[in-house]
């Protein structure tokens, strides 16, 4: 009897210490302005094909990344595209995405309709089904009348994607990652940091040449916010440049370790969300107590790698999109692992990108964003790397490449 009880206590203690240690290795970070990131309800779209039979016009949201909540006839040449966010309050990232077709080739006016308080933001990007080429609908075909926006688009039998931004689903991302690292398996380790609320993979590329022990760590994040694909395009070039096996990248990866997370919110991406994950939360406000599974597992992966291999996290870049290109930085520099990095990097960018002026907005994070987590949690330099919604796509490639090269050059000299 006594022995049994003793055993029970031992088991209880073992369970408790397990709990404590699993909490202990994910240290929370306190911010001045906390944000409630507990899971909230989201509205899910009805996935279907809308048929406007009298017009012989059709629209569908039955694909990853689609967002269409209703499709109605207004008059013989105009249809209403009804779009509502996953929940509110939410930023005005009024994302829509659907494919449309008609029985006869004809011009159709698409009138965008959002809930009160939200406005049209993104000019339509078009892609004929079965092709890979996105184009932006020209301004001549976009009509703004007070609060409402109408787009004139030619429809035919062949479906055309009409989307706020280019569609890059989780599948597209996983496929891109696999093609990117093909033949580089000796130094790019494709790992799983866990899975999203809906069970989608949270991949991470663990990149280093030689021994990973004690190598300083650079963390690359992106796609916390689903429609922000221009930031992802820069991320792709940035990472591609690190993996291009030049002398620069080879010396860099002998000295540093890169943890690259190519998609932090796969559920939100595939659900066509404006901003949130499947838990109805802005994951870039969850870098304090990690209430959402995506951030909790990514944080755990980063901090465990750093601890286990005694590698200090020195820099974290989080790629996003907004109205213009901008780098959001922290003002605190002296106490960080790389006190002069930001100034040196921005100077180098202006010297190496033709006609380029860095747009920096410096302020210490008060809300729980990744930029603040790098600073307050790790004394690392944290930067939110934003690309404009409308920045020309070839310019993004150049900026992505040069920002990567100049980062490597500066870090090698440390
Ligand atoms: Zn963002």
């Amino acid at each position: 009897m006594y022995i049994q009880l003793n055993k029970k206590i031992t088991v209880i203690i073992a369970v408790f210490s397990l709990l404590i240690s699993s909490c202990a290795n994910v240290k929370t970070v306190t911010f001045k302005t906390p944000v409630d990131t507990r899971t909230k309800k989201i509205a899910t779209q009805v996935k279907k094909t809308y048929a406007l039979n009298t017009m012989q016009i059709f629209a569908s949201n039955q694909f990853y990344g689609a967002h269409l909540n209703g499709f109605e006839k207004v008059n013989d040449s105009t249809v209403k595209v009804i779009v509502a966010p996953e929940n509110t309050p939410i930023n005005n990232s009024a994302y829509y995405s659907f494919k449309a077709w008609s029985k006869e080739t004809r011009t159709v006016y698409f009138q965008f309709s959002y809930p009160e308080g939200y406005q049209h933001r993104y000019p339509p990007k078009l892609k004929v089904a079965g092709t890979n080429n996105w184009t932006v609908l020209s301004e001549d075909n976009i009509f703004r009348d007070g609060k409402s926006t109408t787009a004139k688009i030619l429809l035919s039998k062949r479906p055309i994607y009409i989307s706020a931004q280019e569609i890059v689903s989780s599948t597209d991302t996983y496929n891109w990652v696999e093609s990117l690292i093909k033949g580089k398996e000796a130094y790019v380790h494709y790992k799983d940091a866990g899975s999203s609320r809906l069970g989608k993979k949270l991949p991470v590329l663990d990149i280093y040449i030689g021994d990973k022990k004690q190598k300083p760590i650079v963390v690359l994040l992106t796609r916390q916010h689903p429609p922000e694909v221009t930031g992802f395009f820069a991320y792709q070039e940035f990472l591609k440049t690190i993996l291009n096996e030049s002398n620069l990248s080879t010396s860099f990866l002998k000295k540093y370790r890169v943890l690259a997370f190519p998609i932090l919110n796969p559920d939100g991406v595939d659900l066509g969300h404006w901003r949130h994950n499947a838990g109805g939360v802005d994951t870039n406000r969850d870098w304090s107590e990690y209430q959402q599974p995506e951030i909790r597992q990514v944080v755990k992966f980063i901090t465990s790698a750093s601890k286990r291999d005694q590698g200090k996290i020195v820099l974290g870049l989080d790629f996003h999109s907004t109205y213009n290109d901008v780098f959001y930085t922290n003002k605190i520099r002296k106490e960080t692992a790389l006190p002069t990095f930001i100034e040196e990097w921005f100077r180098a960018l202006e010297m190496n990108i033709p006609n380029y002026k860095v747009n920096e907005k410096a302020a210490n994070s008060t809300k729980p964003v990744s930029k603040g987590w790098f600073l307050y949690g790790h004394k690392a330099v944290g930067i939110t790397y934003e690309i404009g919604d409308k920045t020309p796509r070839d310019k993004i490639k150049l900026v992505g490449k040069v920002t990567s090269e100049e980062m490597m050059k500066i870090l090698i000299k440390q």
Side-chain angles (χ1 to χ4, degrees), residues 4 20 53-54 59 70 86-87 102 112 127 137 139 155 158-159 180 197 214 216 219 228 257 298 324 341 353 392 394:
Q4 259 189 351
I20 291 164
N53 287 316
T54 57
E86 56 273 20
N87 60 7
S102 59
F112 290 91
K127 189 184 81 153
L137 183 67
E139 276 296 314
L155 290 191
R158 202 161 171 194
L180 176 72
R197 183 174 297 275
Q214 294 184 343
V219 179
E228 300 182 3
R257 175 180 186 182
V298 165
N324 303 298
F341 173 77
I353 305 172
D394 49 350

Side-chain angles (χ1 to χ4, degrees), residues 91 93 121 223-228 275 282 284-285 318-322 384-386:
N91 271 42
S93 308
R121 169 165 172 181
R223 295 212 84 192
Q224 296 201 71
H225 298 147
E228 300 182 3
R275 191 169 177 88
D282 181 346
N284 203 26
R285 299 292 179 273
D318 188 359
F319 291 69
H320 289 249
S321 311
T322 185
T384 312
Y385 180 134
E386 303 260 9

Side-chain angles (χ1 to χ4, degrees), residues 30-33 328-332 362-376 382-384:
T30 307
F31 286 80
K32 211 183 265 175
T33 316
Y328 290 111
T329 57
N330 292 304
K331 279 188 171 167
I332 298 172
N364 296 325
S365 302
T366 58
K367 288 180 183 168
V369 299
S370 67
K371 166 171 95 76
W373 182 82
F374 287 113
L375 175 67
Y376 307 128
I383 300 174
T384 312

